[in-house]
Amino acid sequence: DQQVKQNSPSLSVQEGRISILNCDYTNSMFDYFLWYKKYPAEGPTFLISISSIKDKNEDGRFTVFLNKSAKHLSLHIVPSQPGDSAVYFCAASAGGTSYGKLTFGQGTILTVHP
Amino acid sequence: KAGVTQTPRYLIKTRGQQVTLSCSPISGHRSVSWYQQTPGQGLQFLFEYFSETQRNKGNFPGRFSGRQFSNSRSEMNVSTLELGDSALYLCASSIGTPAYEQYFGPGTRLTVT
């Protein structure tokens, strides 16, 4: 039972354009969502997060949008840079006593071409 | 601040043996979570410790265990290793309450032969 799904295994974008990574979830108990970026042979790096009481959070080139009714979130990277090429994971937490437990999607490989 | 550190970075073990992995969280962080990453299953939650107590547990067999010390450092142990235990084991730390953001270490690559 995959509660967090990233349906696009890969995404290819030209440098300077927008990258949009998508994530769907099924568990309505999730109330906090995070995006991580991962390079090979390294641990995931935290990028940006959003609480379920918001529908948008922005940090520099990264914006996360949350649509609770559709149980969908997306990460926008504008403008995309070659250094953004990595695997991106979305993750969700149910809060309460589950603070320390993150449920991850399968990841999307982003390639930004110069 | 120093990041999360994990030792060792690489490990090769034989089926049936046991292994202990270590994690030192970011200073001031009281929660340590462990995850297993494999190509087939992705990133899966193993367990989380907060103030030396296991607060959450994932769906892994009892061969997987952990503990946390008073300085928040954590260890995880896998007994009776199986080939399928070959994976990248990641440790993450967070402030603990109620912070959701977790910061990951570089991982320990375990190979079981």
Side-chain angles (χ1 to χ4, degrees):
Chain A
D1 172 27
Q2 206 175 338
Q3 298 183 56
V4 178
K5 294 180 185 178
Q6 294 176 254
N7 292 317
S8 298
S10 63
L11 174 67
S12 183
V13 168
Q14 209 64 33
E15 181 179 5
R17 306 293 290 267
I18 184 171
S19 295
I20 300 176
L21 298 113
N22 294 301
C23 180
D24 297 298
Y25 62 96
T26 57
N27 188 342
S28 55
M29 297 298 292
F30 289 146
D31 64 355
Y32 205 84
F33 304 88
L34 307 92
W35 284 94
Y36 285 85
K37 168 173 142 179
K38 188 178 184 302
Y39 294 115
E42 293 183 13
T45 300
F46 170 70
L47 280 175
I48 191 169
S49 59
I50 187 166
S51 162
S52 60
I53 63 173
K54 295 185 175 182
D55 53 20
K56 176 182 172 181
N57 189 27
E58 213 169 333
D59 184 0
R61 298 186 297 116
F62 302 93
T63 303
V64 56
F65 295 92
L66 175 62
N67 182 333
K68 288 190 294 293
S69 60
K71 292 192 174 69
H72 176 84
L73 63 153
S74 61
L75 174 69
H76 292 210
I77 306 173
V78 184
S80 301
Q81 301 172 353
D84 295 330
S85 298
V87 181
Y88 287 77
F89 292 94
C90 69
S93 176
T97 56
S98 299
Y99 283 129
K101 176 182 177 179
L102 294 180
T103 301
F104 283 85
Q106 292 293 95
T108 296
I109 301 170
L110 172 66
T111 304
V112 181
H113 299 282
Chain B
K1 258 187 189 178
V4 177
T5 58
Q6 292 186 246
T7 56
R9 291 294 311 278
Y10 303 92
L11 207 46
I12 299 175
K13 289 286 188 179
T14 303
R15 206 167 25 174
Q17 288 185 315
Q18 76 161 13
V19 67
T20 299
L21 311 181
S22 181
C23 172
S24 292
I26 292 170
S27 177
H29 285 193
R30 296 168 62 193
S31 167
V32 174
S33 298
W34 289 88
Y35 296 85
Q36 181 196 64
Q37 185 181 27
T38 60
Q41 299 298 318
L43 270 156
Q44 291 192 294
F45 173 76
L46 281 155
F47 31 66
E48 183 237 358
Y49 286 86
F50 177 77
S51 292
E52 302 179 65
T53 301
Q54 186 181 84
R55 189 163 65 171
N56 285 288
K57 189 177 188 308
N59 297 325
F60 279 82
R63 299 186 296 107
F64 292 82
S65 63
R67 59 177 175 167
Q68 186 180 34
F69 302 95
S70 58
N71 61 359
S72 294
R73 191 177 70 83
S74 176
E75 288 181 347
M76 70 162 278
N77 184 277
V78 188
S79 63
T80 319
L81 284 166
E82 300 177 359
L83 295 178
D85 297 333
S86 295
L88 180 66
Y89 289 88
L90 291 157
C91 159
S93 75
S94 71
I95 292 172
T97 309
Y100 295 85
E101 285 83 6
Q102 295 182 12
Y103 298 87
F104 284 81
T108 293
R109 171 70 64 184
L110 172 65
T111 302
V112 182
T113 62

